[in-house]
């Protein structure tokens, strides 16, 4: 092995939410850190071409839709005039503010940033092929880094269907965020969260949507009663929702992208359909197989995942892995918490701090959110999972049609649902559909982590009138104490909270 250009305590491969969080936490704990990122800015997919820019556009779409709703109650702003260049510039400004802040924080922590494509060349060495420009064009320069510990945060990339032609009118989520097209007819291939979020944006900007999904429902993972609320609200956006249907062929023509389908949803229209824009949103594949892991002895599965223990340690004791590359769910907030664990374990080992060295990822739940309109959010056990697995649960449900704030907002289509273990009384899951559901699901996750029961949640005074108080009311509904709903139909007497907690 040639002499290293840089030596550090910890090398982090990948500058996304997991990677920069690991690097910053390790630096805060007194370690020397090198962070390798192939693009010119930190933040990874999430900040640059994912979570953040999509939310900037979804916010704009939400304001446009809300303005349209207000026309029905006497406030008419007229048809919006959309300047796509300025809208794109707004999105880019949001991204630049966040990525610029990350670069500044890296400098404050004296984290060494190496721009380039990293690959292991040994158990304690990584070679970085330097990149430049707006993409990841290689300059020909190469640097070698020697490390004591490494954290792999290499992320994932969009799956591309092999039969799709190379055409600018066929995009993944990154291409969709560029707003390079103003389609009249758009196909979303894949009925998951990413596709439906981008579909919301393009629909509000004027596109008619078709969506094709292999499974029997949209937004897999969420309870069907929550999805039904979303689907009813969004039905006007879609011309066709094709479930249990596969996309089997595509051809680029002057008129558009001609797409063929097979399955239940394709039966009514055997002929191919032509679209101005096709969004591929069929999932993401981990980058574990693209980092030379074998040179360090790190085991990578055929699909590209790296197996780790609760301390985020791979089969090679001094190499850790976090984020998308270690498995589902591929969510930034999961990666950040895994990053803190890996950094703390490493710091504990290198500094002789036993408490830090015992850190472990032991989260009971990882919340999920679809930032559609309305939003759909859930944490812990879902009702559909409980039913499929034969797990008994008690359900507290509060429809937003009984929420003063939701009615005042003109958005009372939502509901809040909590699930409890009938044996222990503790909450095991919950779901919310409605505006700002994603902002509220954290309380449900906290309640599960703390082992709260319905009396803990219902007995917590929530401010009124808010959407968040629907969580407390759903908990009250479980034991029949919610006075904002019709009286429960029960033959047995209903115990109050004091009687439940202090039995005679």
């Amino acid at each position: 092995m040639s002499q290293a250009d840089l030596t550090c305590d910890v090398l982090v491969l990948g500058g996304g939410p997991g990677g920069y969080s690991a690097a910053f936490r390790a630096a805060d704990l007194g370690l020397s850190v090198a962070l390798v990122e192939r693009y010119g800015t930190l933040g990874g997919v999430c900040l640059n071409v994912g979570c953040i820019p999509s939310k900037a556009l979804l916010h704009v779409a939400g304001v446009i839709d809300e303005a349209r709703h207000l026309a029905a109650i006497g406030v008419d702003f007229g048809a919006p005039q959309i300047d796509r260049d300025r809208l794109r510039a707004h999105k880019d400004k949001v991204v630049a503010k966040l990525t610029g802040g990350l670069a500044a924080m890296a400098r404050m922590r004296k984290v060494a940033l190496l721009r380039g494509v990293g690959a292991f060349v040994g158990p304690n060495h990584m070679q970085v092929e330097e990149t430049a420009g707006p993409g990841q064009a290689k300059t020909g320069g190469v640097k070698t880094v020697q490390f004591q510990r490494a954290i792999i945060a290499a992320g994932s990339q969009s799956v591309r269907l092999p039969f799709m032609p190379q055409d600018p009118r066929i995009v993944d989520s990154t291409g969709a965020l560029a707003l390079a097209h103003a389609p009249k007819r758009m196909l979303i291939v894949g009925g998951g969260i990413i596709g439906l979020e981008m579909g919301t944006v393009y629909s509000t900007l004027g596109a008619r949507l078709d969506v094709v999904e292999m499974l029997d429902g949209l937004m897999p993972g969420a309870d069907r009663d929550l999805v039904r609320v979303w689907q009813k609200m969004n039905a006007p956006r879609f011309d066709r929702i094709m479930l249990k249907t596969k996309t089997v062929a595509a051809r680029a023509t002057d008129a558009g992208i001609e797409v063929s389908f097979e399955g239940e949803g394709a039966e009514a229209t055997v002929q191919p359909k032509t679209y101005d824009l096709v969004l591929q949103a069929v999932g993401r594949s981990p980058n574990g197989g693209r980092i030379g892991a074998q040179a360090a002895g790190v085991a990578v599965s055929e699909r590209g995942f790296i197996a780790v223990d609760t301390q985020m340690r791979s089969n090679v004791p001094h190499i850790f892995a976090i984020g998308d590359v270690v498995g589902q769910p591929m969510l930034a907030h999961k990666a950040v918490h895994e990053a803190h664990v890996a950094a703390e374990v490493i710091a504990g080992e290198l500094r002789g701090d036993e408490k830090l060295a015992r850190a472990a990822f032991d989260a009971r739940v990882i919340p999920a959110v679809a930032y559609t309109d309305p939003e759909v959010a859930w944490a812990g056990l879902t009702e559909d999972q409980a039913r499929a697995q034969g797990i008994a649960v008690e359900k507290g449900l509060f429809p937003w049609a009984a929420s003063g704030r939701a009615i005042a907002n003109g958005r009372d289509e939502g509901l809040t649902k909590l699930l409890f273990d009938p044996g222990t009384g503790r909450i095991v899951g919950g779901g919310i559909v409605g505006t700002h559901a994603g902002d509220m699901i954290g309380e449900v996750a906290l309640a599960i982590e703390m082992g709260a029961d319905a009396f803990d949640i219902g007995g917590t005074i929530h401010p009124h009138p808010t959407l968040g108080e629907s969580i407390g009311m759903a908990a009250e509904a479980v034991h029949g104490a919610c006075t904002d709903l019709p009286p429960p139909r029960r033959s047995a007497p209903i115990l109050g909270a004091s009687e439940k907690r202090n039995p005679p």
Side-chain angles (χ1 to χ4, degrees):
M1 179 65 63
S2 60
Q3 186 175 2
D5 299 289
L6 177 68
T7 300
C8 60
D9 294 329
V10 186
L11 179 142
V12 180
L13 176 60
Y20 76 72
S21 296
F24 292 0
R25 183 65 177 135
D28 289 346
L29 292 170
L31 303 180
S32 61
V33 182
L35 175 56
V36 178
E37 168 55 47
R38 56 185 172 170
Y39 288 105
T41 55
L42 297 180
V45 169
C46 179
L47 265 68
N48 289 280
V49 290
C51 318
I52 300 303
S54 66
K55 302 313 166 286
L57 296 179
L58 282 163
H59 168 70
V60 172
V63 172
I64 293 172
D65 290 337
E66 187 68 15
R68 289 170 178 163
H69 296 158
L70 289 175
I73 58 174
V75 182
D76 193 342
F77 293 95
Q81 302 299 312
I82 297 171
D83 184 331
R84 286 177 179 262
D85 290 336
R86 291 175 65 187
L87 181 55
R88 189 183 303 110
H90 161 70
K91 174 205 62 160
D92 293 343
K93 183 179 178 181
V94 170
V95 171
K97 183 174 183 178
L98 286 166
T99 56
L102 289 177
M105 288 194 288
R107 288 192 297 271
M108 293 174 193
R109 290 176 164 89
K110 296 181 171 55
V111 172
L113 297 180
L114 287 82
R115 182 175 176 187
V117 177
F120 289 97
V121 290
N124 292 92
H125 290 80
M126 177 168 288
Q127 189 175 83
V128 181
E129 296 183 84
E130 295 176 312
T131 57
Q136 48 179 317
K138 295 180 180 178
T139 66
V142 177
K143 287 187 177 179
T144 302
V145 183
Q146 182 177 343
F147 55 85
Q148 292 191 61
R149 301 286 191 278
I151 301 175
I152 299 170
S156 62
Q157 62 182 2
S158 297
V159 172
R160 183 177 180 86
L161 296 173
F163 55 80
M164 284 288 184
Q166 292 291 336
D167 189 282
R169 296 165 295 181
I170 300 174
V171 297
D172 57 13
S173 57
T174 298
L177 287 165
L179 296 179
H181 305 272
K184 296 299 182 184
R185 296 204 64 212
M186 178 177 178
L187 172 67
I188 303 168
V189 182
I193 290 174
I194 293 174
L196 297 178
E197 287 181 355
M198 292 311 305
T200 299
V201 171
Y202 275 85
S203 170
T204 298
L205 296 180
R208 297 296 306 166
L209 304 179
D210 282 1
V211 60
V212 56
E213 168 58 49
M214 291 180 61
L215 301 179
D216 59 0
L218 300 178
M219 215 176 288
D223 271 334
R224 295 301 91 190
D225 56 348
L226 305 181
V227 177
R228 280 193 294 271
V229 173
W230 170 86
Q231 194 161 332
K232 180 179 179 181
M233 183 83 175
N234 283 270
R237 299 184 188 273
F238 295 92
D239 289 332
R240 291 192 303 166
I241 296 176
M242 297 172 280
L243 302 177
K244 297 182 179 180
T245 304
K246 294 191 298 183
T247 305
V248 294
R251 184 170 69 93
T253 70
D254 291 341
I257 305 299
E258 187 180 271
V259 185
S260 300
F261 308 99
E262 285 182 359
E264 291 186 10
E267 292 177 358
T269 54
V270 178
Q271 297 299 319
K273 290 292 181 182
T274 301
Y275 300 92
D276 303 316
L277 186 68
V278 175
L279 168 61
Q280 293 186 95
V282 293
R284 302 186 64 84
S285 62
N287 290 328
R290 301 178 176 91
I291 59 173
Q294 67 279 0
V298 176
V300 181
S301 74
E302 290 185 5
R303 296 180 59 194
F305 290 110
I306 297 173
V308 293
D309 61 16
T310 58
Q311 293 196 309
M312 314 314 299
R313 199 188 305 269
S314 74
N315 64 300
V316 178
H318 69 280
I319 298 179
F320 298 69
I322 61 173
D324 291 2
V325 80
V326 304
Q328 300 288 352
M330 292 183 175
L331 297 170
H333 43 280
K334 174 184 79 93
V336 169
H337 283 265
E338 292 173 339
H340 291 174
V341 168
E344 289 167 9
V345 171
I346 291 170
E349 292 176 350
L350 294 182
R351 293 174 51 198
D353 187 321
E354 293 184 5
K355 182 178 179 181
L356 285 174
R358 290 196 300 269
F361 185 77
D362 60 355
R364 291 184 177 181
V365 294
I366 300 168
V369 183
Y371 296 94
T372 48
D373 184 21
E375 293 181 359
V376 181
W378 64 98
L381 186 71
T382 68
E383 191 173 7
D384 289 347
Q385 287 173 335
R387 189 179 299 112
Q389 297 171 25
I391 300 173
V393 292
E394 288 185 339
K395 178 170 69 173
L397 189 146
F398 186 82
W400 287 17
S403 163
R405 182 60 183 272
I407 294 170
N409 290 350
R411 295 299 304 269
D412 62 353
E413 73 278 358
L415 65 87
T416 298
K417 174 175 65 174
L418 303 179
L419 304 177
F420 297 88
D421 183 326
T424 65
R426 292 182 174 181
I427 184 171
V428 293
I432 307 171
V433 56
T435 56
H436 304 289
D439 295 326
M440 295 187 286
I441 198 64
E443 180 181 347
V444 177
L446 176 62
I448 298 172
E449 292 287 351
M450 298 298 292
D453 63 20
F455 294 94
D456 294 321
I457 301 167
T460 298
I461 299 176
H462 292 73
H464 172 81
T466 62
L467 300 175
E469 67 184 329
S470 67
I471 296 173
M473 291 175 176
E476 289 179 336
V478 172
H479 50 81
C482 183
T483 53
D484 285 80
L485 294 175
R489 297 179 180 178
R490 297 187 181 180
S491 56
I494 299 172
L495 295 178
S498 61
E499 295 173 281
K500 175 73 175 180
R501 295 194 181 283
N502 302 293

